[in-house]
Amino acid sequence: MNTQNEIASFLANNAENKKIILFDGVCNLCDSAVQFIIKHDKKDIFRFAALQSEIGKEICKHIGVDTTKIDSIIFYEPGVVYYYKSGAAIAIAENLGVLWSWFSVFKIIPVFLRDPLYNYIAKNRYKWYGKKESCMIPTPELKTKFL
């Protein structure tokens, strides 16, 4: 997939009406976060892709995110919007239902104050939570949730 049309077509066929979460596929903290989101995604609105995967790289290119400069979870609603860092975390929580939507209160904190905390955790995530040798392989039951 090299053209904008090809990636748009792929997303239309594989993630129609879904919101996409791009995550660090070798990070244990990120893997735990993905498992948490899957467990609480009662309306089946999310699809997932590792940033390291071909489709993850293509989506980042498609939306204009340079992953050499942004080492972050990315929340992407095709054709609408994308968020990264603390904005992505808040957008994901807002989509998990009433119980988790209270996280939207953190929007009142300016990004220049929220993101340094996010950056601190991201910078230390491998040290604190560990790192895998390769991206996780979804179980057959979860395979449809991954692009």
Side-chain angles (χ1 to χ4, degrees):
M1 280 184 274
N2 293 337
T3 68
Q4 295 291 324
N5 288 341
E6 287 175 315
I7 190 70
S9 176
F10 175 85
L11 294 174
N13 292 327
N14 295 284
E16 188 174 13
N17 300 317
K18 303 295 180 187
K19 297 169 184 182
I20 299 168
I21 297 174
L22 302 167
F23 65 98
D24 181 346
V26 297
C27 169
N28 287 333
L29 174 62
C30 302
D31 179 59
S32 295
V34 167
Q35 296 304 319
F36 176 87
I37 295 165
I38 289 171
K39 181 179 176 183
H40 292 89
D41 183 17
K42 304 297 184 199
K43 295 180 182 175
D44 189 36
I45 61 171
F46 293 113
R47 291 297 175 263
F48 302 88
L51 288 163
Q52 296 89 343
S53 69
E54 255 338 284
I55 190 62
K57 291 174 188 174
E58 289 291 333
I59 291 171
C60 287
K61 192 166 113 180
H62 176 71
I63 61 177
V65 171
D66 182 353
T67 55
T68 63
K69 295 180 181 165
I70 295 176
D71 181 21
S72 169
I73 192 168
I74 299 170
F75 170 88
Y76 173 48
E77 190 170 347
V80 180
V81 69
Y82 74 89
Y83 299 100
Y84 58 92
K85 296 188 181 191
S86 64
I90 292 169
I92 292 165
E94 288 177 328
N95 282 275
L96 286 177
V98 177
L99 180 61
W100 300 104
S101 64
W102 69 270
F103 274 99
S104 64
V105 73
F106 290 110
K107 283 183 176 179
I108 64 170
I109 300 170
V111 172
F112 74 89
L113 294 175
R114 285 191 327 243
D115 278 353
L117 175 60
Y118 181 95
N119 291 339
Y120 179 72
I121 294 168
K123 180 180 167 189
N124 291 291
R125 69 186 186 269
Y126 296 144
K127 181 173 30 169
W128 296 341
Y129 299 97
K131 183 177 177 181
K132 301 172 191 293
E133 291 297 316
S134 61
C135 295
M136 71 176 249
I137 298 173
T139 63
E141 304 83 48
L142 296 180
K143 206 166 191 94
T144 59
K145 293 202 170 275
F146 290 83
L147 300 176

